[in-house]
Amino acid sequence: MRYKIKRKKAFTLIELMISLSIMVMITSITTVSIKGFINYKIRLTNEICKSEIHMFISMAQMYCYSKCREGKIRVDAKENKLLFIYRSNTIDSYSLKSKVLAEGGFSNNEFDINFSGRIKKSGNITFKDEKKVDNIITIHVGTGYLDEN
């Protein structure tokens, strides 16, 4: 006479605990990696934005120097733009796409560039990133040296 052994078709408690702990480890590693990637992306877009603002100001200085004209750069926080203006005409503009531009640290939110391409007064341009952290670009008088904070 043969006896049939019945097999249970369920998992043991140890098997469930091991599979659950593996899933928790994979989830925690993935979460940490995603947060690191997001922080890296924000830092990278901040650096790109600062670099583009530097290039925009340098372009305005070169325009004033090459044409022997005076111009100004206006910080327009409402439209989230930097505007390069000669007399009352807008020559060029730079729009901050994913950043929020704050008011400039200048009178009337604009700074002048003389005919030799030098900035007449110092101040700050501030923009906020996705985490609402202020990124400050300081503009120095004369040489046009720009400093990032």
Side-chain angles (χ1 to χ4, degrees):
M1 195 174 213
R2 290 188 180 182
Y3 293 102
K4 290 188 176 181
I5 299 175
K6 289 186 177 180
R7 291 190 168 219
K8 292 183 180 181
K9 296 188 177 187
F11 295 107
T12 64
L13 182 61
I14 295 203
E15 290 172 333
L16 288 174
M17 294 293 286
I18 290 173
S19 62
L20 184 64
S21 64
I22 290 172
M23 288 177 15
V24 166
M25 286 191 303
I26 291 172
T27 304
S28 65
I29 290 171
T30 305
T31 304
V32 169
S33 298
I34 290 173
K35 285 181 182 178
F37 176 73
I38 290 171
N39 289 337
Y40 177 73
K41 179 189 149 271
I42 290 171
R43 279 195 318 267
L44 186 62
T45 57
N46 288 345
E47 291 301 316
I48 289 170
C49 186
K50 288 177 186 178
S51 177
E52 288 176 347
I53 290 172
H54 283 221
M55 288 190 307
F56 181 79
I57 293 171
S58 296
M59 182 276 312
Q61 289 176 304
M62 289 305 295
Y63 180 88
C64 290
Y65 176 75
S66 65
K67 304 281 186 180
C68 289
R69 298 179 178 169
E70 291 190 350
K72 62 178 81 176
I73 293 180
R74 180 175 296 149
V75 178
D76 189 355
K78 290 179 185 173
E79 293 187 27
N80 213 29
K81 286 184 179 180
L82 294 176
L83 303 169
F84 173 49
I85 300 169
Y86 170 68
R87 293 192 179 159
S88 61
N89 299 326
T90 301
I91 305 295
D92 198 5
S93 66
Y94 172 68
S95 177
L96 281 81
K97 299 163 191 77
S98 63
K99 308 296 181 193
V100 176
L101 190 62
E103 296 292 324
F106 306 98
S107 61
N108 298 330
N109 287 326
E110 54 189 33
F111 57 95
D112 299 326
I113 302 172
N114 67 13
F115 64 92
S116 63
R118 299 196 184 265
I119 296 173
K120 292 183 178 179
K121 56 186 171 182
S122 63
N124 298 322
I125 296 175
T126 304
F127 66 90
K128 295 183 183 290
D129 60 16
E130 291 86 353
K131 289 186 171 184
K132 307 293 185 221
V133 175
D134 285 344
N135 292 275
I136 302 169
I137 298 175
T138 304
I139 300 169
H140 299 274
V141 175
T143 60
Y145 177 72
L146 304 174
D147 188 22
E148 301 171 6
N149 295 337

